[in-house]
Amino acid sequence: MAFIYDEPSHTFSEYLLLPGYTSAEHIPNQVSLKAPLCRFKKGDTPRLSVNIPLTSAVMQAVSNDTLAIALAQEGGISFIFGSQSIENQADMVRRVKKHKAGFVTSDSNLRPEDTLAHVLSLRQKTGHSTMAVTDDGGPNGKLLGIVTSRDYRLSRTPRDMQVKDFMTPFKDLIVGREDTTLPMANDLIWKHKLNQLPIIDKDGHLLYLIFRKDYDTNKDNPLELLDDRKRYICGAGINTRDYEDRIPALVEAGADALVIDSSEGFSEWQARTLQWAREHYGNDVIIGAGNVVDAEGFRFLADAGADFVKVGIGGGSICITREQKGIGRGQATAVIEVAEARQKYYEETGIYIPICSDGGIVYDYHITLALAMGADFVMLGRYFARFDESPSNKVHIGNSYMKEYWGEGSARARNWQRYDMGGDGKLSFEEGVDSYVPYAGALKDNVQLSLSKIRSTMCNCGAMSIQELQDKAKLTLVSATSIVEGGAHDVTLRNTDMDGSNHL
């Protein structure tokens, strides 16, 4: 006979946090949002942590290299979507890892015989205005000069003029040598008012470029998430079909963490994938798994070797799994039960396995609720799809700008590999929709606003860290009537005139 839970499952909107004692020390800008991203033994330090508890979903409309860079600058991690060729996904990872290494391998290079027309074409292709001129046109050829936008004038410089006739020649360059450290390079950049500093070997061959903007970026983004070589941390999604080929390619490209992207994680396929990864890479590769919604599913993936476990089925804004299959659970209830199972596992084994709440986030305060309920970090799709840095198109609909947003279970995504049954290259039926979300501007501005709300709420609860929030939080279920009471009600808002124009 089927097992039936006595209590209904609940969503985040059905809960509120009760305030705790707030002392003079509870200042939002002093709150730490650092969270572990992989399993670790009691007393040890996690191999990888995030500086903010936000990760971006493994989705075509969300996580590409552009968004991964922007999120890493804020302290979070993106998992670049896997529903593309292995080569394309690995290239995205490489672009993230090369974007800011402190020491950057030049990817816009010229020969001295190239023309201004070629310079302009290369600039349009790469988006980079600084180009190294080497004897062979390669990233490690003998450095002959540098071309920047200050070396030519579009209105006057002929398109057929050769680079050697307008570049800044090597004799006029300030360069660093092989033993130049990043602090030394920054000193040279500031002393000589440079925008970039080439690093060369003893024979004059180009090794790297160091950019002033990277130094400025570091000052503007104190929480940026970097590896031990000062490169941005980047994750990637894998599936349970081609993992024997995809994992090696992503590891070689420099991916810092992987996650199995699947509609349901309580399966033999995920255990096989994790087992293969452990046999070939041991614990050198961080791999998360999921998704699950109860203690049994969590325990299965924990025992299978998952570094973190994703929680949630059917709660995403574009997910229709519950409508199509009748499978899922209210996100709040799922997180609470899995967090309890994680704690029990920790007490039994001494191993802590982070959990990720994936789906069900509608408002910023839902993130805080998820953390209070036991999640170490959250995974967001719709939230990030709205921003400039997401890969989808911005379109004008009516009087508003929107961004395209579609689910990995939609026909548009063609991501049959995410579903562990079948294998004929097509979806039997859709579990996601094709939609639009309101355009919201730059990721940085929106993330910082969301984080300010989270930190403020944590202070109201008397917590200065996520762990302290989980220890101290008091949550209460709310009635439907009190949900209405919680917003503006019984008033006429003054945000619009009768004709719809906005007040400033």
Side-chain angles (χ1 to χ4, degrees):
M1 182 176 176
F3 178 82
I4 301 175
Y5 283 89
D6 294 331
E7 295 292 328
S9 63
H10 298 284
T11 66
F12 292 131
S13 287
E14 296 176 79
Y15 284 91
L16 287 175
L17 283 158
L18 274 62
Y21 172 70
T22 303
S23 73
E25 297 178 351
H26 290 101
I27 302 172
N29 63 12
Q30 298 298 315
V31 171
S32 170
L33 293 176
K34 190 169 185 177
L37 198 79
C38 62
R39 65 164 59 206
F40 61 95
K41 292 182 179 179
K42 185 176 182 179
D44 290 349
T45 300
R47 288 177 293 150
L48 180 60
S49 297
V50 287
N51 292 329
I52 63 172
L54 306 183
T55 66
S56 67
V58 192
M59 300 176 70
Q60 295 173 10
V62 178
S63 296
N64 67 343
D65 51 309
T66 306
L67 191 125
I69 291 167
L71 183 53
Q73 288 175 344
E74 299 307 310
I77 183 173
S78 289
F79 288 92
I80 291 177
F81 70 94
S83 51
Q84 59 179 318
S85 72
I86 295 173
E87 294 75 16
N88 287 347
Q89 188 185 24
D91 283 343
M92 284 189 180
V93 172
R94 289 190 188 95
R95 288 197 288 272
V96 177
K97 302 304 290 186
K98 289 181 179 180
H99 180 80
K100 182 183 182 301
F103 297 84
V104 179
T105 301
S106 177
D107 65 355
S108 297
N109 306 290
L110 302 165
R111 292 182 173 86
E113 297 79 19
D114 288 332
T115 65
L116 176 60
H118 180 75
V119 171
L120 298 177
S121 175
L122 184 59
R123 179 174 178 174
Q124 183 177 21
K125 179 181 178 181
T126 65
H128 298 157
S129 59
T130 297
M131 302 178 187
V133 184
T134 59
D135 59 348
D136 61 0
N140 300 118
K142 188 170 184 178
L143 183 64
L144 303 178
I146 291 287
V147 169
T148 72
S149 57
R150 294 184 297 180
D151 292 314
Y152 55 86
R153 296 180 66 179
L154 292 177
S155 60
R156 296 187 180 183
T157 308
R159 296 296 195 272
D160 60 354
M161 180 178 284
Q162 292 186 331
V163 166
K164 62 184 178 181
D165 295 324
F166 62 85
M167 70 181 184
T168 300
F170 179 80
K171 65 182 180 65
D172 295 332
L173 296 176
I174 303 296
V175 300
R177 303 293 173 173
E178 288 182 83
D179 59 352
T180 301
T181 64
L182 193 57
M184 292 166 60
N186 286 328
D187 288 343
L188 286 171
I189 287 172
W190 283 96
K191 178 181 179 181
H192 297 283
K193 299 181 180 180
L194 306 174
N195 287 323
Q196 69 283 319
L197 178 73
I199 303 296
I200 61 173
D201 65 15
K202 60 183 178 60
D203 298 317
H205 291 92
L206 179 64
L207 298 175
Y208 307 103
L209 293 173
I210 298 176
F211 291 92
R212 181 191 185 108
K213 67 178 178 64
D214 286 343
Y215 179 78
D216 292 337
T217 295
N218 182 262
K219 290 194 300 181
D220 293 338
N221 300 293
L223 293 178
E224 62 182 351
L225 195 60
L226 305 174
D227 65 17
D228 56 5
R229 294 172 58 188
K230 305 301 182 183
R231 303 176 301 175
Y232 286 129
I233 295 290
C234 178
I238 60 174
N239 61 70
T240 58
R241 295 297 178 183
D242 64 7
Y243 57 86
E244 294 184 11
D245 297 316
R246 193 172 293 269
I247 291 177
L250 293 173
V251 170
E252 189 277 332
D256 299 281
L258 307 175
V259 65
I260 303 173
D261 180 37
S262 174
S263 62
E264 204 279 301
F266 194 178
S267 76
E268 179 182 349
W269 309 113
Q270 295 222 358
R272 288 185 183 183
T273 304
L274 291 167
Q275 180 181 4
W276 184 91
R278 296 303 174 221
E279 289 174 352
H280 289 79
Y281 293 96
N283 293 322
D284 292 336
V285 174
I286 294 171
I287 302 184
N291 288 21
V292 298
V293 293
D294 63 8
E296 190 177 7
F298 167 83
R299 187 68 186 230
F300 174 81
L301 292 177
D303 289 340
D307 279 302
F308 64 87
V309 174
K310 289 202 298 167
V311 181
I313 295 176
S317 61
I318 41 71
C319 184
I320 55 173
T321 295
R322 297 179 192 177
E323 294 179 20
Q324 294 282 56
K325 299 170 66 173
I327 289 179
R329 198 177 197 187
Q331 187 67 8
T333 300
V335 170
I336 291 169
E337 180 172 322
V338 172
E340 290 174 350
R342 185 265 310 282
Q343 183 61 27
K344 182 177 179 181
Y345 186 86
Y346 180 58
E347 293 169 356
E348 291 178 5
T349 66
I351 297 173
Y352 185 92
I353 299 180
I355 61 175
C356 167
S357 178
D358 177 18
I361 302 292
V362 180
Y363 304 107
D364 287 339
Y365 82 90
H366 288 173
I367 300 173
T368 317
L369 286 173
L371 299 175
M373 291 171 180
D376 296 275
F377 54 95
V378 301
M379 180 169 280
L380 305 166
R382 179 192 60 84
Y383 178 90
F384 287 114
R386 304 172 300 148
F387 303 150
D388 288 320
E389 295 84 357
S390 75
S392 65
N393 295 321
K394 184 173 75 170
V395 296
H396 192 259
I397 299 177
N399 295 321
S400 303
Y401 281 102
M402 311 289 283
K403 291 275 283 186
E404 295 178 331
Y405 180 46
W406 61 96
E408 291 298 294
S410 67
R412 178 173 181 175
R414 297 172 57 85
N415 188 8
W416 66 269
Q417 292 159 312
R418 190 173 190 269
Y419 301 86
D420 291 328
M421 293 172 286
D424 56 1
K426 64 180 181 180
L427 294 172
S428 300
F429 54 87
E430 291 185 280
E431 292 187 41
V433 299
D434 195 346
S435 63
Y436 300 100
V437 290
Y439 167 67
L443 178 146
K444 183 181 185 68
D445 297 335
N446 287 275
V447 165
Q448 289 191 355
L449 176 60
S450 297
L451 295 179
S452 69
K453 295 178 185 179
I454 295 169
R455 291 189 178 102
S456 179
T457 302
M458 288 173 62
C459 286
N460 293 147
C461 295
M464 298 295 287
S465 68
I466 294 173
Q467 180 61 60
E468 191 176 10
L469 175 67
Q470 293 169 352
D471 291 339
K472 292 184 175 181
K474 295 179 289 184
L475 295 115
T476 181
L477 276 168
V478 295
S479 68
T481 303
S482 63
I483 292 174
V484 174
E485 179 186 61
H489 58 90
D490 300 316
V491 295
T492 300
L493 299 181
R494 296 184 59 187
N495 60 333
T496 59
D497 287 322
M498 294 301 291
D499 63 359
S501 62
N502 290 324
H503 284 289
L504 298 179

